[in-house]
Amino acid sequence: MPKKIILIGMVFLMVQFLDRSQVQGADSKGKVALMPFTVHSPTNLSYLQKNILEALSDGLHKQNIPVLPLDKTQLWLTQKVPTDWRELRTIGKQLEVDFLVFGSLTKIGQRMNLTGNLLDLKTENPPLTFSLTEEGLENILRLMERFSKEVGSRILSQEKIIGISIKGNQRIETQTIEKELKSKPGEPYIPEFLDQDLRAIFKMGFFSDVRLEVEENPRGKLITFVVEERPFVKRVDFSGNKEIKEDDLKEQVTIKPYTILNLNTVSETQEKLTAFYQSKGYYNIRMTYSVTYEDQGKAAVVVFNIVEGKKVYIKTITFQGNKGFSGKQLKSIMNTNEKGYFSWFTSSGVYKKELLELDLEKLSSFYYNHGYLKAKVGEPTVVHEGDWLFVTISIDEGRPYTMGQVTIRGDLIQPLDKMMAALAITKEKFYNREVIRKDILMMNDLYSYEGYAFVEISPQIQEDPAALKVDLVYEIKKGPKVYFERIDIVGNVKTRDKVIRREFGVAEQGLFDAKALRKSNQNLHRLDFFEEINLSTSPGTQEDRMKLKVEVKEKMTGAFSLGAGYSAVENFMVMGQISERNLFGRGQRLSLDAQLGGVTTRYNLGFFEPWLFDTRISSDINIYNWTRIFDEYTKDSIGGSLGFGYPILGEDIRAFITYAYDDANVTEVEEGAAQIIQDMEGRHQTSSVRLALRRDTRDLIFNTTKGSVNSVSVEYAGGPLGGTNYFTRYLASSGWFFPLFWRTTFFAHGKWGYITQNAGGDLPLYEKFYLGGINTVRGFIYNEISPKDPATGQSIGGEQMVQFNFEFIFPLIEKSGLKGVIFFDAGDVYTKDQSIDLGSLRKSVGAGIRWYSPLGPLRLEWGWNFDPRPGERGNNWEFSIGTFF
């Protein structure tokens, strides 16, 4: 017995000695402190914190890694463990350990996700992070065992990567490959990470083979990734396409020549080409691809083999379950339609899945907007039989609900009766979702104009199925008033910030105003300095603050042009222009232009300052030299003008005052000219002041699609202003643009003029009114519409005139700015003794094309005279460069 006790004692001492020696040997590996893990779970699992620490400690002890006693860190069980690893580094140094382990356990459903971190206190590197998952709480010990092994392997293996190189790449840059690598030189050598790197490089799609070479070195591991590049695409060919042109197919191809062959991209292109064929009606399309190799396998030729088959059209669209509306009514709502007689031109009857899906939404909206609150539009059934498709759409209409009581509750900024009067839904008999949406937008605007940018308007619908009635309550929470904390402008290289900011109706620290913001956006577009303008908002530093970001992309604003052309008035002409619409980025306009033609020689120098001395006063200066050869005389004039403008009654309305001086010399009067023309020979000076009021709401100066421009003016010449010409001229003009379907526009324009001679001076013929020509009444030659001299029949101008123009404008080549126009013109000129007779106006119709070119708007138009008088043409072609009307 004593011998057994002695033997057991010796074994015990040996085990203790071996255990201590192993621990002492492990000291070189460093001591580890375990911080309590944060546990996230819908249920309270905080009791797991202690179990996690004990399981981790046991797992590390099994690997002979010394762990700081848990009672040294248990105080953190009742305190929040810092999330910043720099704070944890300080705690670890206070505990006098080499490594610190911390992390969290998240349990969602049955899934447990452990995010653990190992912080090496001997270096300044951030912690190494591990992410492990297990299913079921019963596997918590297995999860901790896996984690302890990961931590232990990192602590016990301290080999470093001393270098990473890439070999075999010729076209793909080394830096591009290195961006995919998780492993970095100087970091621990982790085989798992290198395996992930290997997969990431292969996943790039550029390589047919990737392998890893590891070289041992006394200082660590040298890693080499050896890649074998795929061949490059030499060209893409098509075989079997007959109905679709190759150029159209190439537009769908995403494979670019001389790029690395990627079979995934080839497959994507095949799917895209197939979808393109189906969008054209080739529902039976069959397509494969083949790849052949040239230049010793370095170059690839991709061929798409196409069997087009016949076009497949929709034969019938049938509805099932519709009672309130006929199939014809429902079809009229859809863009998808049945094959018609002109399908070869209109592509009617072509099946497009995405278009049909949009049609289902339109049908649903149609029912909701006609009271069918419970309507359901089912998925369509598309049956393919031979060369036809048969589409069937099932509809569960339900019954229509009428509108009951409507009211508004919550934060009202106007009296209830006033807000109720503005609602459109109160005027509807049946429930209408679209009208409700418009009411919400209207009230959103109402509140946003007062600075409530985050107003919430919720329609609360209360159904009464028995009475088939809907009561509606608009619940409004206005939130705080919002102010612009900052307005940032980016993208403007040339244009100065102040040129952009002065177009804004909102300012930093100013109240949010959606209406002013939309107007500001319109003002920026009308400057015509930018190709793109994007306004975006983001939350500020406080609840009632907002940031506004203005992103612009500038366009070229300077132009030098030289050209030649032909005009019905001028015959051959040469023109040139040097202009800058944004001089020095200040928003100023400077131009010098010249025109030399068979009838007119003109030079003009102009300067426009939109914000004189940084005020809202605009100013323009013009100097010109103008020679004009009329049928009966020649007029040479030199002069200029100085004008100022100022906005009144809002930004759209401006008042102008302009002083102009013209020194004209009338020469070369024909011997047979009318006496009134012969009496005009000699020098004439016009010194005048013009007052004008102008309202301009056009969205764009050129290519206008909506808005209007209206003006009235009075010009006084002579008297105290001097000169030889004494007159008063009155003008009124109004032009309106209306956007229509398919990006078309309707334009209506009217103009009236009256001039009277004042005592003490002359009223020369060239100051009177004439009509005819491309800018007044087309179909008549220039100045052809005019009172005539009774003796000679020559045009002598009139003291009164009216003019009307109506145009239908449509795009021809939209990207190039080429448009077509169909017009109707009417107008006439009268003497002071005649009365205006709108029933006997001279009329014309015609058509033309317009191009907004770098030289300016180019126009080629043909007009037909309704009722030609003796000596007049029946029609007239005209060409011009310049603005319209």
Side-chain angles (χ1 to χ4, degrees), residues 403-682:
M403 283 304 304
Q405 294 183 349
V406 180
T407 189
I408 304 173
R409 288 200 306 242
D411 303 325
L412 306 186
I413 61 172
Q414 289 183 356
L416 178 60
D417 57 347
K418 186 175 181 180
M419 294 186 67
M420 288 292 298
L423 295 178
I425 192 63
T426 58
K427 304 173 181 64
E428 295 290 323
K429 180 180 179 181
F430 292 97
Y431 170 82
N432 191 314
R433 190 175 69 174
E434 178 63 17
V435 173
I436 294 173
R437 187 186 71 85
K438 289 180 179 179
D439 278 344
I440 293 173
L441 291 176
M442 179 273 296
M443 289 189 285
N444 260 307
D445 285 345
L446 180 67
Y447 278 76
S448 66
Y449 296 162
E450 299 295 329
Y452 297 101
F454 304 128
V455 60
E456 296 180 9
I457 303 174
S458 304
Q460 304 296 327
I461 297 173
Q462 299 172 357
E463 305 171 20
D464 185 348
L468 293 176
K469 186 179 67 173
V470 172
D471 293 334
L472 173 63
V473 178
Y474 291 107
E475 292 279 359
I476 300 179
K477 295 180 181 179
K478 65 182 181 181
K481 282 194 172 186
V482 178
Y483 297 82
F484 285 108
E485 181 175 273
R486 193 171 71 242
I487 300 177
D488 296 322
I489 301 173
V490 297
N492 54 317
V493 178
K494 175 182 177 181
T495 308
R496 303 190 180 195
D497 272 15
K498 73 173 184 178
V499 172
I500 298 175
R501 289 183 185 275
R502 68 193 185 191
E503 299 297 330
F504 273 77
V506 296
E508 291 179 342
Q509 309 308 317
L511 191 64
F512 174 87
D513 186 339
K515 185 176 182 180
L517 203 57
R518 283 197 291 266
K519 180 63 177 176
S520 303
N521 189 28
Q522 182 179 334
N523 290 344
L524 288 179
H525 277 92
R526 289 178 60 182
L527 287 177
D528 199 30
F529 297 163
F530 312 108
E531 289 182 12
E532 297 177 10
I533 302 170
N534 294 305
L535 274 61
S536 58
T537 58
S538 59
T541 56
Q542 300 178 31
E543 183 184 7
D544 63 344
R545 292 293 184 268
M546 175 185 288
K547 299 175 185 177
L548 175 63
K549 185 177 182 181
V550 184
E551 295 181 88
V552 298
K553 181 180 179 182
E554 293 179 320
K555 65 166 64 172
M556 297 295 293
T557 55
F560 170 76
S561 56
L562 184 66
Y566 180 84
S567 167
V569 176
E570 298 289 343
N571 295 323
F572 182 77
M573 59 182 174
V574 177
M575 60 222 123
Q577 183 187 66
I578 302 175
S579 66
E580 173 54 66
R581 294 183 289 107
N582 188 12
L583 189 64
F584 305 123
R586 298 174 181 269
Q588 300 163 334
R589 187 165 63 241
L590 179 66
S591 65
L592 172 63
D593 58 84
Q595 177 180 327
L596 289 82
V599 173
T600 301
T601 301
R602 182 179 64 203
Y603 304 94
N604 189 84
L605 176 64
F607 176 78
F608 176 71
E609 169 57 78
W611 288 68
L612 186 63
F613 307 124
D614 287 328
T615 68
R616 299 191 65 83
I617 299 174
S618 62
S619 175
D620 65 275
I621 302 173
N622 286 280
I623 302 171
Y624 63 84
N625 187 327
W626 193 348
T627 298
R628 171 82 189 192
I629 302 175
F630 293 87
D631 291 340
E632 297 84 11
Y633 62 93
T634 298
K635 173 178 171 278
D636 293 296
S637 62
I638 186 170
S641 64
L642 173 63
F644 300 93
Y646 189 79
I648 61 173
L649 303 176
E651 293 185 4
D652 297 331
I653 303 176
R654 296 184 75 90
F656 297 90
I657 181 171
T658 303
Y659 173 76
Y661 183 82
D662 179 85
D663 186 357
N665 187 21
V666 176
T667 60
E668 300 181 12
V669 179
E670 287 188 355
E671 293 182 3
Q675 187 61 45
I676 191 173
I677 298 176
Q678 295 185 29
D679 293 342
M680 193 175 61
E681 187 171 12

Side-chain angles (χ1 to χ4, degrees), residues 27-80:
D27 284 345
S28 61
K29 302 298 181 183
K31 190 181 294 182
V32 182
L34 304 178
M35 301 295 289
F37 274 47
T38 305
V39 179
H40 304 289
S41 174
T43 58
N44 186 8
L45 299 178
S46 58
Y47 66 88
L48 288 178
Q49 287 183 301
K50 191 173 182 181
N51 295 341
I52 290 173
L53 292 177
E54 291 173 350
L56 273 178
S57 179
D58 290 343
L60 293 175
H61 274 300
K62 290 177 181 178
Q63 301 174 70
N64 298 323
I65 296 175
V67 178
L68 189 72
L70 295 182
D71 58 2
K72 301 291 185 180
T73 58
Q74 277 191 346
L75 64 96
W76 291 100
L77 288 171
T78 57
Q79 299 182 31
K80 184 178 180 181

